[in-house]
Amino acid sequence: MTANPPSRIAQLRQASVAMLDGLTPAQQRCQSHPELSPMLWHVGHVLFMETYWLAERVFGDTSVTNAWRDLYVPELAAKDERSARLPEAPDLRRWASQIAEQNDANWQHARNVDHPLLADGYLAAFVRQHYAQHLETMRLVRTQLALAEYTPAPTAIEAESPDTVFETVGAHVVDIGTATIDAYDNEQPVFTAYPETFAIAARCVTNAQWLGFIDAGGYQNADWWDDAGWAWRESAQVEHPQHWHALENGWFIPTPEFADIAQAPVHGIGWYEARAYARYAGARLPRELEWEAARRAGVLSGVGQVWEWCADAFYPYPGFCAFPYDGYSMPWFDGGHFVARGASLHSEIEIRRPGFRNFYPPTHRHIHAGLRLAYT
């Protein structure tokens, strides 16, 4: 029996559909970045997945999901093939309204149903987080669309050194992971860790500090990069964060979320770039366990402004067990995805907990991620 009413799910649904507002039909259908799907697809996908888990998995009703499975199941529709197959926005909005009504009725019915997925409110929490994660992705879609519309003008910013204030975290014992019902499988089981003494920056690296890295030849000096990162940098011809624009008289840094752009945390950088900066600064990226230990100790300022790259490849915790399906975490324990912690300004409350683990390939630069330095 579920203890979670659907009111928050209804809010997240409405917020998802509202992501279509203010966009032209072409923008709604546009694939704004190779790693992002069109806005229309995201809206349809989140409603489809709520219906899949609730109507199909709990009640055995496939009347909705069978009709849309080959479009809204990610594995069945390549990103670059989705746009042409999507319905028009008015049709999608009508469908969304119908699905919302059906799902609200199913959530009410679920209160009196005994099903493993409903135990302790698990499924409602799972669905809320799925909506929350896609809302963040939809905000990234809107960001990429906006970048194409900006008129570049110089941003007043001066380069700064990598100097920063560090907080020392002494050797101690800490529980790592999330014990509550909303935990994803990769956050469990909770285990005891024994981090040695380390130092971690009180705040994230800023845009001004990143400009210092650029001015110091950060994208030209291979000594600060590992071999794979340098090969990627040369191949992709990367010379600055993803959303920065080089002008004849300076840089255009479109970061409307922050009033003080120079001191705002840098983002638009991948893991390779983050690690190169850390070496330039004479430091390193924090290990994932260190980051969570420092977060739980309360020594990190500005958490939740940008995702923060950690040193680790995404890995299973001791005793990991996939749930509710193998595909959420297991395929990404491949050594090619790296952990980012802390949430961003685009993140909903559902994924801002200390134990939440995000993970991406080291080349992803559109995800509003930055870095915080550490050293032993």
Side-chain angles (χ1 to χ4, degrees), residues 3 15 57 73 90 98 108 112 153 158 171 195 197 201 243 248 250 281 346 348 353 360-361 367:
R57 292 293 299 272
V73 173
Q98 295 168 1
Q108 291 297 321
N112 301 311
E158 294 184 3
T197 299
H243 62 296
E248 289 185 2
H346 297 309
E348 296 287 332
R353 59 184 176 271
Y360 297 100
I367 55 175

Side-chain angles (χ1 to χ4, degrees), residues 307-351:
W307 291 99
E308 302 176 25
W309 286 112
C310 293
D312 310 75
F314 188 49
Y315 67 97
Y317 285 171
F320 167 83
C321 182
F323 186 82
Y325 66 108
D326 289 349
Y328 183 76
S329 300
M330 285 182 62
W332 320 118
F333 297 145
D334 58 1
H337 289 75
F338 293 83
V339 173
R341 290 294 203 110
S344 80
L345 291 176
H346 297 309
S347 304
E348 296 287 332
I349 189 62
E350 281 79 6
I351 57 176

Side-chain angles (χ1 to χ4, degrees), residues 11 22 51 53 67 70 72 74 86 105 143 159-160 168 215 232 250 265 290 293 313 315-316 334 340-341 361 365:
Q11 292 173 357
T51 307
W53 285 105
D70 64 347
Y72 291 130
L86 290 164
T143 296
E160 293 184 0
T168 298
D215 289 352
W232 164 78
E290 292 174 337
Y315 67 97
D334 58 1
R341 290 294 203 110
R365 313 172 70 233

Side-chain angles (χ1 to χ4, degrees), residues 4 31 45 105 170 174 179 194 213 226 244 337:
N4 292 275
Q31 185 182 10
H45 169 75
V174 61
Y194 305 87
F213 173 63
D226 61 25
W244 290 30
H337 289 75

